Amino acid sequence: MGKYTILVLGGYGFFGSRICQELAADSGIRVLVAGRDGKRALAFATELGLAADQAVTLDAQAPDLSARLVELGVKTVIHTAGPFQGQGYEVARAAIAAGANYIDLADGRDFVAGIGALDPAAREAGVFVTSGASSLPALSSAVVDQYLPRFRQLDTISHGIGSGARSPGLATMRGVFSYCGKPFQWLQGGRWVPQWGWLNLRRYRFPEPVGPRWLSSINVPDLVLFPERYPGVKTVRFQAGFAGTLGHLFVWCASWLVRLQLLPSLVAFAQPLHAMSAWMVPWISDKGGMFVSLEGTGHDGEKLKLDWHLVAAQNHGPWIPCGASIALARKLAAGLPMPWGAMACMGQLSVKDYLAALQRFDIQELPA
Protein backbone atom coordinates (compact mmCIF):
# COMPACT_ATOMS: atom_id res chain seq x y z
CA MET A 1 0.00 0.00 0.00
CA GLY A 2 1.45 3.37 -1.05
CA LYS A 3 1.92 6.44 1.07
CA TYR A 4 -0.93 8.88 1.66
CA THR A 5 -0.34 11.98 -0.49
CA ILE A 6 -0.93 15.41 1.06
CA LEU A 7 -0.39 18.59 -0.93
CA VAL A 8 0.38 21.74 1.06
CA LEU A 9 -0.48 24.83 -0.96
CA GLY A 10 1.86 27.62 0.10
CA GLY A 11 4.11 24.83 1.39
CA TYR A 12 7.25 26.99 1.55
CA GLY A 13 5.49 29.86 3.35
CA PHE A 14 5.38 30.84 7.02
CA PHE A 15 2.82 28.27 8.18
CA GLY A 16 2.99 25.90 5.22
CA SER A 17 6.70 25.23 5.72
CA ARG A 18 6.09 24.22 9.32
CA ILE A 19 3.27 21.88 8.35
CA CYS A 20 5.41 20.30 5.62
CA GLN A 21 8.28 19.85 8.04
CA GLU A 22 6.14 17.92 10.52
CA LEU A 23 4.27 15.79 7.98
CA ALA A 24 7.46 14.96 6.07
CA ALA A 25 8.69 13.16 9.20
CA ASP A 26 5.68 10.81 9.07
CA SER A 27 6.65 7.58 7.29
CA GLY A 28 3.11 7.02 6.03
CA ILE A 29 2.72 10.43 4.38
CA ARG A 30 4.05 11.71 1.06
CA VAL A 31 4.15 15.50 1.25
CA LEU A 32 4.00 17.71 -1.84
CA VAL A 33 5.37 21.23 -1.33
CA ALA A 34 3.28 23.36 -3.67
CA GLY A 35 3.08 27.01 -4.66
CA ARG A 36 3.37 29.43 -7.56
CA ASP A 37 7.15 29.74 -7.18
CA GLY A 38 8.54 26.40 -8.31
CA LYS A 39 12.12 27.34 -7.42
CA ARG A 40 11.18 28.08 -3.82
CA ALA A 41 9.16 24.87 -3.63
CA LEU A 42 12.13 22.84 -4.91
CA ALA A 43 14.58 24.56 -2.58
CA PHE A 44 12.43 23.84 0.47
CA ALA A 45 11.65 20.27 -0.58
CA THR A 46 15.39 19.69 -0.97
CA GLU A 47 15.99 21.20 2.47
CA LEU A 48 13.53 18.68 3.91
CA GLY A 49 15.28 15.82 2.12
CA LEU A 50 12.33 15.18 -0.19
CA ALA A 51 12.55 13.99 -3.79
CA ALA A 52 12.51 16.61 -6.52
CA ASP A 53 9.09 15.47 -7.73
CA GLN A 54 7.65 16.41 -4.32
CA ALA A 55 8.08 20.07 -5.25
CA VAL A 56 5.12 21.22 -7.33
CA THR A 57 4.56 24.47 -9.21
CA LEU A 58 0.87 25.15 -8.70
CA ASP A 59 -1.31 28.24 -9.00
CA ALA A 60 -4.37 28.25 -6.76
CA GLN A 61 -6.29 30.16 -9.44
CA ALA A 62 -5.38 27.84 -12.33
CA PRO A 63 -8.44 26.54 -14.22
CA ASP A 64 -6.92 23.05 -14.35
CA LEU A 65 -6.24 22.87 -10.60
CA SER A 66 -8.61 19.95 -10.06
CA ALA A 67 -7.06 17.96 -12.91
CA ARG A 68 -3.58 18.60 -11.49
CA LEU A 69 -4.65 17.30 -8.08
CA VAL A 70 -5.95 14.10 -9.71
CA GLU A 71 -2.75 13.76 -11.75
CA LEU A 72 -0.64 14.10 -8.59
CA GLY A 73 -2.71 11.53 -6.70
CA VAL A 74 -3.56 13.99 -3.94
CA LYS A 75 -5.76 12.65 -1.13
CA THR A 76 -5.82 15.81 1.02
CA VAL A 77 -5.11 19.47 0.25
CA ILE A 78 -3.94 21.80 3.03
CA HIS A 79 -4.41 25.40 1.92
CA THR A 80 -2.13 27.90 3.70
CA ALA A 81 -1.80 30.52 0.94
CA GLY A 82 -3.60 33.48 2.49
CA PRO A 83 -4.76 36.07 3.09
CA PHE A 84 -8.19 34.47 2.98
CA GLN A 85 -10.11 37.74 3.36
CA GLY A 86 -11.59 38.33 -0.07
CA GLN A 87 -10.70 34.87 -1.42
CA GLY A 88 -13.29 32.57 -2.91
CA TYR A 89 -13.55 28.80 -2.48
CA GLU A 90 -11.84 27.88 -5.75
CA VAL A 91 -9.23 25.67 -4.06
CA ALA A 92 -11.81 23.87 -1.94
CA ARG A 93 -14.05 23.34 -4.99
CA ALA A 94 -11.10 21.96 -6.97
CA ALA A 95 -10.26 19.56 -4.13
CA ILE A 96 -13.86 18.34 -3.98
CA ALA A 97 -13.97 17.84 -7.75
CA ALA A 98 -10.73 15.83 -7.48
CA GLY A 99 -12.17 13.66 -4.70
CA ALA A 100 -9.68 15.04 -2.20
CA ASN A 101 -10.20 16.24 1.36
CA TYR A 102 -9.58 19.93 2.05
CA ILE A 103 -8.21 21.76 5.11
CA ASP A 104 -7.32 25.44 5.41
CA LEU A 105 -5.88 27.79 8.02
CA ALA A 106 -8.24 30.65 7.19
CA ASP A 107 -8.86 33.35 9.77
CA GLY A 108 -11.32 35.45 7.76
CA ARG A 109 -14.67 35.64 9.54
CA ASP A 110 -16.87 35.42 6.45
CA PHE A 111 -14.65 32.87 4.71
CA VAL A 112 -14.69 30.36 7.58
CA ALA A 113 -18.35 30.91 8.45
CA GLY A 114 -19.40 30.46 4.82
CA ILE A 115 -17.63 27.17 4.10
CA GLY A 116 -20.90 25.31 4.73
CA ALA A 117 -22.05 26.43 1.28
CA LEU A 118 -19.87 23.61 -0.08
CA ASP A 119 -21.49 20.98 2.13
CA PRO A 120 -23.78 19.38 -0.52
CA ALA A 121 -20.90 19.00 -3.00
CA ALA A 122 -18.53 17.67 -0.33
CA ARG A 123 -21.08 15.11 0.87
CA GLU A 124 -21.79 13.95 -2.66
CA ALA A 125 -18.04 13.50 -3.27
CA GLY A 126 -17.58 11.77 0.09
CA VAL A 127 -14.82 14.10 1.27
CA PHE A 128 -13.99 16.05 4.42
CA VAL A 129 -13.80 19.83 3.93
CA THR A 130 -12.98 22.17 6.82
CA SER A 131 -12.01 25.81 7.21
CA GLY A 132 -10.33 27.54 10.16
CA ALA A 133 -7.99 24.68 11.13
CA SER A 134 -5.93 26.99 13.28
CA SER A 135 -5.86 28.55 16.74
CA LEU A 136 -9.32 29.90 15.88
CA PRO A 137 -11.80 28.30 15.83
CA ALA A 138 -10.22 24.80 16.00
CA LEU A 139 -8.34 25.15 19.29
CA SER A 140 -10.54 27.82 20.87
CA SER A 141 -13.69 25.75 20.32
CA ALA A 142 -11.96 22.59 21.60
CA VAL A 143 -11.19 24.45 24.85
CA VAL A 144 -14.81 25.60 25.23
CA ASP A 145 -16.06 22.08 24.46
CA GLN A 146 -13.72 20.66 27.11
CA TYR A 147 -15.04 22.86 29.91
CA LEU A 148 -18.66 23.29 28.81
CA PRO A 149 -19.90 20.32 30.92
CA ARG A 150 -18.85 22.18 34.08
CA PHE A 151 -21.46 24.89 33.41
CA ARG A 152 -25.20 24.79 33.88
CA GLN A 153 -25.27 27.97 31.79
CA LEU A 154 -22.32 29.46 29.92
CA ASP A 155 -22.77 33.22 29.52
CA THR A 156 -19.43 34.69 28.39
CA ILE A 157 -16.53 33.54 26.21
CA SER A 158 -13.62 35.95 26.25
CA HIS A 159 -10.42 34.85 24.56
CA GLY A 160 -7.28 36.26 23.05
CA ILE A 161 -3.74 35.77 21.78
CA GLY A 162 -0.52 37.61 22.59
CA SER A 163 2.16 36.81 20.02
CA GLY A 164 5.87 36.29 20.53
CA ALA A 165 8.58 38.20 18.70
CA ARG A 166 8.35 36.23 15.47
CA SER A 167 5.55 37.80 13.47
CA PRO A 168 3.44 35.71 11.05
CA GLY A 169 3.96 35.73 7.31
CA LEU A 170 3.35 38.79 5.18
CA ALA A 171 0.07 37.40 3.83
CA THR A 172 -1.26 36.98 7.37
CA MET A 173 -0.10 40.49 8.28
CA ARG A 174 -1.95 41.89 5.27
CA GLY A 175 -5.06 40.01 6.33
CA VAL A 176 -4.91 41.47 9.84
CA PHE A 177 -4.17 44.98 8.61
CA SER A 178 -7.08 44.83 6.16
CA TYR A 179 -9.59 45.22 9.01
CA CYS A 180 -7.63 47.58 11.30
CA GLY A 181 -9.93 50.50 12.07
CA LYS A 182 -12.78 48.85 10.14
CA PRO A 183 -16.18 48.17 11.77
CA PHE A 184 -17.49 44.76 12.75
CA GLN A 185 -19.85 43.40 15.40
CA TRP A 186 -19.59 41.10 18.35
CA LEU A 187 -22.14 39.78 20.83
CA GLN A 188 -22.19 41.61 24.15
CA GLY A 189 -24.86 41.17 26.79
CA GLY A 190 -27.12 39.46 24.28
CA ARG A 191 -26.91 42.30 21.72
CA TRP A 192 -24.76 42.71 18.62
CA VAL A 193 -22.70 45.84 19.21
CA PRO A 194 -20.16 47.62 16.97
CA GLN A 195 -16.40 47.28 17.40
CA TRP A 196 -13.49 48.46 15.27
CA GLY A 197 -10.43 46.44 14.31
CA TRP A 198 -7.41 46.84 16.57
CA LEU A 199 -9.14 49.37 18.87
CA ASN A 200 -10.69 48.81 22.34
CA LEU A 201 -7.23 48.71 23.94
CA ARG A 202 -6.78 46.69 27.15
CA ARG A 203 -3.97 45.27 29.27
CA TYR A 204 -4.09 41.52 29.90
CA ARG A 205 -1.77 39.64 32.24
CA PHE A 206 -0.78 36.24 30.89
CA PRO A 207 0.82 33.75 33.29
CA GLU A 208 4.60 33.85 33.46
CA PRO A 209 6.79 33.67 31.51
CA VAL A 210 4.64 35.73 29.12
CA GLY A 211 3.46 38.47 31.49
CA PRO A 212 1.30 41.52 30.67
CA ARG A 213 0.46 42.40 27.07
CA TRP A 214 -1.56 45.04 25.27
CA LEU A 215 -4.50 43.58 23.36
CA SER A 216 -7.02 45.04 20.92
CA SER A 217 -10.27 43.87 19.37
CA ILE A 218 -9.96 41.64 16.30
CA ASN A 219 -12.59 40.43 13.84
CA VAL A 220 -12.39 36.61 13.82
CA PRO A 221 -14.68 33.68 12.88
CA ASP A 222 -15.39 32.78 16.51
CA LEU A 223 -17.45 35.95 16.97
CA VAL A 224 -20.17 34.61 14.68
CA LEU A 225 -19.60 30.85 15.04
CA PHE A 226 -19.65 30.61 18.85
CA PRO A 227 -23.12 32.14 19.40
CA GLU A 228 -24.47 29.46 17.04
CA ARG A 229 -22.46 26.61 18.56
CA TYR A 230 -23.16 27.53 22.20
CA PRO A 231 -26.82 28.61 22.50
CA GLY A 232 -27.48 30.86 25.46
CA VAL A 233 -24.09 32.55 25.39
CA LYS A 234 -24.63 36.29 25.72
CA THR A 235 -21.09 37.64 25.17
CA VAL A 236 -18.29 36.54 22.82
CA ARG A 237 -15.20 38.67 22.41
CA PHE A 238 -11.69 38.19 21.05
CA GLN A 239 -8.57 40.34 21.27
CA ALA A 240 -4.98 39.98 20.15
CA GLY A 241 -1.70 41.82 20.45
CA PHE A 242 1.92 42.00 19.37
CA ALA A 243 4.82 41.12 21.67
CA GLY A 244 6.36 44.56 21.27
CA THR A 245 4.56 47.40 23.06
CA LEU A 246 5.68 50.07 20.58
CA GLY A 247 4.56 48.02 17.58
CA HIS A 248 1.16 47.34 19.10
CA LEU A 249 0.55 50.95 20.08
CA PHE A 250 1.66 52.15 16.64
CA VAL A 251 -0.93 49.92 14.95
CA TRP A 252 -3.56 50.99 17.52
CA CYS A 253 -2.91 54.67 16.78
CA ALA A 254 -2.86 54.10 13.01
CA SER A 255 -6.14 52.18 13.29
CA TRP A 256 -7.73 55.32 14.72
CA LEU A 257 -6.78 57.12 11.49
CA VAL A 258 -8.77 54.51 9.54
CA ARG A 259 -11.62 54.66 12.06
CA LEU A 260 -11.79 58.45 11.57
CA GLN A 261 -11.57 57.98 7.78
CA LEU A 262 -8.26 59.83 7.54
CA LEU A 263 -6.67 56.74 5.98
CA PRO A 264 -8.45 54.21 3.74
CA SER A 265 -6.59 51.18 5.09
CA LEU A 266 -3.41 50.01 6.84
CA VAL A 267 -2.60 47.31 4.27
CA ALA A 268 0.15 49.49 2.80
CA PHE A 269 1.93 49.40 6.16
CA ALA A 270 2.02 45.59 6.30
CA GLN A 271 5.18 45.04 4.27
CA PRO A 272 7.43 47.65 5.95
CA LEU A 273 6.21 46.69 9.43
CA HIS A 274 6.70 43.01 8.63
CA ALA A 275 10.30 43.71 7.58
CA MET A 276 10.86 45.85 10.68
CA SER A 277 9.44 43.18 12.99
CA ALA A 278 11.83 40.58 11.54
CA TRP A 279 14.76 42.90 12.25
CA MET A 280 13.59 43.48 15.84
CA VAL A 281 13.14 39.80 16.79
CA PRO A 282 16.31 39.65 18.97
CA TRP A 283 15.08 42.57 21.12
CA ILE A 284 11.48 41.42 21.70
CA SER A 285 10.16 38.64 23.93
CA ASP A 286 10.18 35.17 22.35
CA LYS A 287 7.21 34.23 24.57
CA GLY A 288 3.58 34.20 23.51
CA GLY A 289 0.29 32.99 24.88
CA MET A 290 -3.39 32.28 24.34
CA PHE A 291 -6.23 32.44 26.83
CA VAL A 292 -9.86 31.35 26.95
CA SER A 293 -11.97 32.68 29.85
CA LEU A 294 -15.42 31.24 30.45
CA GLU A 295 -18.03 32.72 32.78
CA GLY A 296 -21.47 31.53 33.76
CA THR A 297 -23.32 29.46 36.34
CA GLY A 298 -22.09 26.14 37.70
CA HIS A 299 -24.26 23.14 38.46
CA ASP A 300 -24.44 24.26 42.09
CA GLY A 301 -26.14 27.49 41.02
CA GLU A 302 -23.10 29.60 41.92
CA LYS A 303 -21.17 31.87 39.57
CA LEU A 304 -18.31 30.07 37.85
CA LYS A 305 -15.27 31.51 36.04
CA LEU A 306 -12.61 29.33 34.40
CA ASP A 307 -9.37 30.60 32.84
CA TRP A 308 -7.41 28.38 30.44
CA HIS A 309 -3.99 29.36 29.11
CA LEU A 310 -1.41 28.17 26.62
CA VAL A 311 2.10 29.62 26.80
CA ALA A 312 4.89 29.24 24.25
CA ALA A 313 8.60 30.08 24.47
CA GLN A 314 11.61 30.05 22.11
CA ASN A 315 9.45 31.66 19.40
CA HIS A 316 7.48 28.41 19.11
CA GLY A 317 4.16 30.29 19.15
CA PRO A 318 3.79 30.20 15.32
CA TRP A 319 3.53 26.41 15.54
CA ILE A 320 0.23 26.71 17.43
CA PRO A 321 -1.86 27.72 14.37
CA CYS A 322 -0.37 24.69 12.56
CA GLY A 323 -1.47 22.13 15.14
CA ALA A 324 -4.97 21.50 13.80
CA SER A 325 -3.97 20.81 10.20
CA ILE A 326 -1.12 18.53 11.32
CA ALA A 327 -3.43 16.56 13.63
CA LEU A 328 -6.23 16.31 11.03
CA ALA A 329 -3.81 15.28 8.27
CA ARG A 330 -2.43 12.48 10.42
CA LYS A 331 -5.95 11.27 11.25
CA LEU A 332 -6.88 11.19 7.57
CA ALA A 333 -3.63 9.45 6.60
CA ALA A 334 -4.24 6.84 9.30
CA GLY A 335 -7.69 6.12 7.88
CA LEU A 336 -9.51 7.28 11.00
CA PRO A 337 -13.18 8.17 10.44
CA MET A 338 -13.88 11.82 9.70
CA PRO A 339 -17.23 13.46 8.90
CA TRP A 340 -18.11 13.95 5.26
CA GLY A 341 -19.22 17.40 4.26
CA ALA A 342 -18.02 20.99 4.58
CA MET A 343 -17.82 22.71 7.96
CA ALA A 344 -15.90 25.17 10.10
CA CYS A 345 -13.15 23.41 12.04
CA MET A 346 -14.97 22.78 15.32
CA GLY A 347 -15.59 19.44 16.99
CA GLN A 348 -13.14 17.34 14.99
CA LEU A 349 -10.27 17.67 17.51
CA SER A 350 -9.96 17.69 21.29
CA VAL A 351 -7.44 19.86 23.11
CA LYS A 352 -5.44 16.67 23.70
CA ASP A 353 -5.43 15.88 19.96
CA TYR A 354 -4.34 19.39 19.15
CA LEU A 355 -1.48 19.55 21.63
CA ALA A 356 -0.27 16.05 20.75
CA ALA A 357 0.66 17.46 17.33
CA LEU A 358 2.81 20.09 19.07
CA GLN A 359 4.41 18.00 21.78
CA ARG A 360 8.00 18.46 20.65
CA PHE A 361 7.79 22.24 20.97
CA ASP A 362 8.12 24.54 23.98
CA ILE A 363 4.36 24.94 24.35
CA GLN A 364 2.67 24.37 27.69
CA GLU A 365 -1.00 24.10 28.58
CA LEU A 366 -2.15 25.62 31.88
CA PRO A 367 -5.56 23.99 32.42
CA ALA A 368 -8.40 25.86 34.12
Side-chain angles (χ1 to χ4, degrees):
M1 186 174 178
K3 292 186 176 183
Y4 187 94
T5 301
I6 297 177
L7 181 141
V8 182
L9 188 59
Y12 45 77
F14 187 81
F15 294 123
S17 61
R18 288 169 166 79
I19 294 167
C20 286
Q21 179 181 326
E22 288 302 287
L23 296 183
D26 192 312
S27 61
I29 294 176
R30 180 173 183 264
V31 177
L32 301 181
V33 181
R36 287 180 297 179
D37 191 330
K39 290 182 179 179
R40 289 184 66 188
L42 179 59
F44 186 62
T46 302
E47 182 182 327
L48 293 180
L50 304 178
D53 64 356
Q54 288 177 256
V56 179
T57 304
L58 198 66
D59 186 342
Q61 304 302 318
D64 65 342
L65 179 58
S66 180
R68 289 293 311 280
L69 296 177
V70 172
E71 176 190 331
L72 293 165
V74 174
K75 301 297 184 185
T76 292
V77 175
I78 301 178
H79 185 9
T80 72
F84 290 89
Q85 290 85 351
Q87 275 197 43
Y89 297 118
E90 290 83 4
V91 176
R93 292 183 190 278
I96 293 170
N101 303 300
Y102 168 89
I103 300 166
D104 70 44
L105 276 67
D107 58 356
R109 175 171 171 166
D110 294 339
F111 187 98
V112 177
I115 195 70
L118 303 184
D119 188 61
R123 286 180 180 273
E124 184 176 351
V127 294
F128 169 66
V129 172
T130 194
S131 183
S134 187
S135 308
L136 313 171
L139 179 55
S140 54
S141 63
V143 174
V144 180
D145 289 349
Q146 177 171 289
Y147 292 108
L148 188 61
R150 293 172 61 175
F151 289 86
R152 176 189 295 174
Q153 174 61 52
L154 177 62
D155 295 323
T156 299
I157 304 172
S158 178
H159 55 316
I161 293 174
S163 70
R166 188 160 296 164
S167 62
L170 180 56
T172 302
M173 289 276 281
R174 283 179 173 145
V176 171
F177 280 29
S178 70
Y179 52 72
C180 286
K182 299 296 180 67
F184 64 96
Q185 291 190 323
W186 69 19
L187 189 67
Q188 182 171 308
R191 297 185 304 112
W192 289 97
V193 300
Q195 295 292 322
W196 285 265
W198 215 260
L199 299 183
N200 195 20
L201 191 67
R202 72 180 280 210
R203 192 75 163 163
Y204 182 85
R205 181 172 291 279
F206 286 91
E208 294 299 334
V210 180
R213 293 288 176 85
W214 289 109
L215 303 178
S216 295
S217 301
I218 305 293
N219 190 11
V220 296
D222 299 27
L223 299 180
V224 66
L225 294 173
F226 280 10
E228 296 177 359
R229 184 171 178 81
Y230 308 108
V233 167
K234 300 179 179 63
T235 298
V236 180
R237 50 181 175 247
F238 177 81
Q239 293 184 293
F242 296 136
T245 296
L246 288 179
H248 186 99
L249 295 180
F250 173 83
V251 176
W252 174 71
C253 290
S255 296
W256 270 109
L257 299 179
V258 177
R259 165 77 175 88
L260 297 172
Q261 299 184 338
L262 299 175
L263 279 178
S265 168
L266 295 190
V267 173
F269 291 91
Q271 186 163 0
L273 285 176
H274 184 263
M276 187 181 301
S277 66
W279 178 78
M280 295 180 67
V281 164
W283 292 276
I284 298 176
S285 172
D286 66 351
K287 318 276 191 309
M290 176 175 173
F291 74 91
V292 178
S293 294
L294 307 175
E295 298 179 55
T297 305
H299 292 285
D300 58 1
E302 299 293 325
K303 290 184 179 180
L304 178 63
K305 184 176 188 295
L306 301 177
D307 297 313
W308 175 95
H309 290 90
L310 196 68
V311 294
Q314 301 184 62
N315 279 318
H316 285 178
W319 285 95
I320 297 173
C322 303
S325 59
I326 294 169
L328 289 171
R330 287 175 174 162
K331 281 192 168 190
L332 289 165
L336 297 178
M338 297 294 289
W340 289 357
M343 65 211 77
C345 195
M346 300 185 295
Q348 296 86 34
L349 294 171
S350 67
V351 175
K352 183 178 179 181
D353 291 332
Y354 201 108
L355 297 182
L358 305 172
Q359 59 185 335
R360 73 183 190 87
F361 303 104
D362 193 350
I363 297 170
Q364 180 184 4
E365 179 191 14
L366 304 176

